[in-house]
Amino acid sequence: MARQRIALASLKGGCGKTTLAINLAAGLARSDDVGLVDADPQGTLSHWVDWSGDAALPRVIAGGDDPLQALSQAARRHGRVVVDCPPSLDMGVTGRILEKVDLVLIPVLPSPLDLWAGAGTVEAVERARRRNPALRAWLVLNQVEPASALSRAMSEALASLEIPTLPCMVRRRAAFRLAAVEGVSVFQLGARGREAAREIDRIIEEALQT
Ligand SMILES: Nc1ncnc2c1ncn2[C@@H]1O[C@H](COP(=O)(O)OP(=O)(O)OP(=O)(O)O)[C@@H](O)[C@H]1O
Ligand SMILES: [Mg+2]
């Protein structure tokens, strides 16, 4: 696998950036050398990993005042880098990160209102592509209610955006919250995390192994 830098980004808060960043990084770390960059001044990711002390979780490089510097440091040390971006309104930090990564995954909650609230993220990707034309981007549906189909309004809203949606989606599952509470990833939850881990593996297959 060539070197790869992956950002989890959205202007919309609470859509699952940190949850997917840590679980994807943990999934990739089973077979790769992975660094995890916490570019969010809230430091959620750093707290998660600090308090778990779990050796199976990738190393977190805290972005502090200079997340771009943390990203380049991580890229020098690790074959794969996952960056958890902040939900910043001006997209300043996120925009600069998008100029430096190969791929961005944008978690979206399955409601058109949430999708429109995050529409600025799509513009940020387009702006970043002026300097980083190779930037690949996917929307990832997160917290989809089990057993419910996407509403027609949601499917139409997704189809109207310039960025494609990954075929796989992530359901709302207790395992994702439980992993956060225990300071681990869903891969360390054994049988309790099996379905959630399978969803993370699908994202890795569909978006990251190409
Ligand atoms: N698939 C899921 N199933 C159940 N709970 C989830 C799922 N994804 C995220 N959550 C929960 O939703 C909340 C928000 O998720 P998270 O913190 O990952 O979002 P975020 O985009 O990083 O937020 P912020 O913008 O504040 O950084 C958390 O409580 C998390 O545990
Ligand atoms: Mg977060």
Side-chain angles (χ1 to χ4, degrees), residues 105-190:
L105 297 175
I106 304 164
V108 291
L109 303 182
S111 116
L113 288 180
D114 280 289
L115 188 65
W116 298 131
T121 317
V122 176
E123 286 162 31
V125 169
E126 282 163 4
R127 266 198 308 278
R129 278 183 173 149
R130 289 181 211 148
R131 292 196 174 183
N132 181 13
L135 175 65
R136 290 187 295 135
W138 289 102
L139 303 173
V140 185
L141 281 159
N142 184 33
Q143 299 215 39
V144 178
E145 293 293 346
S148 79
L150 277 192
S151 72
R152 199 165 139 202
M154 186 64 192
S155 304
E156 284 172 3
L158 287 171
S160 72
L161 297 180
E162 297 297 314
I163 296 180
T165 307
L166 270 193
C168 62
M169 48 181 88
V170 179
R171 296 201 178 274
R172 185 195 292 276
R173 293 184 189 277
F176 286 107
R177 289 177 193 271
L178 185 64
V181 169
E182 296 191 5
V184 297
S185 81
V186 293
F187 293 95
Q188 279 92 43
L189 290 180

Side-chain angles (χ1 to χ4, degrees), residues 17-19 40 42 44 84-85 87:
K17 296 179 288 296
T18 302
T19 302
D40 186 350
Q42 296 175 101
T44 319
D84 181 24
C85 294

Side-chain angles (χ1 to χ4, degrees), residues 20-116:
L20 295 184
I22 198 155
N23 285 293
L24 284 167
L28 291 168
R30 289 169 303 169
S31 56
D32 273 318
D33 169 32
V34 181
L36 193 48
V37 174
D38 188 359
D40 186 350
Q42 296 175 101
T44 319
L45 187 65
S46 312
H47 290 310
W48 191 335
V49 174
D50 277 357
W51 96 269
S52 93
D54 193 308
L57 289 180
R59 246 198 84 212
V60 173
I61 299 111
D65 295 335
D66 195 350
L68 271 301
Q69 162 68 20
L71 169 57
S72 46
Q73 188 191 80
R76 280 197 300 275
R77 291 185 187 164
H78 303 277
R80 266 177 151 145
V81 177
V82 177
V83 191
D84 181 24
C85 294
S88 57
L89 272 180
D90 63 10
M91 293 296 285
V93 172
T94 300
R96 290 200 296 282
I97 289 170
L98 294 185
E99 291 175 8
K100 301 268 182 243
V101 296
D102 304 294
L103 173 77
V104 56
L105 297 175
I106 304 164
V108 291
L109 303 182
S111 116
L113 288 180
D114 280 289
L115 188 65
W116 298 131

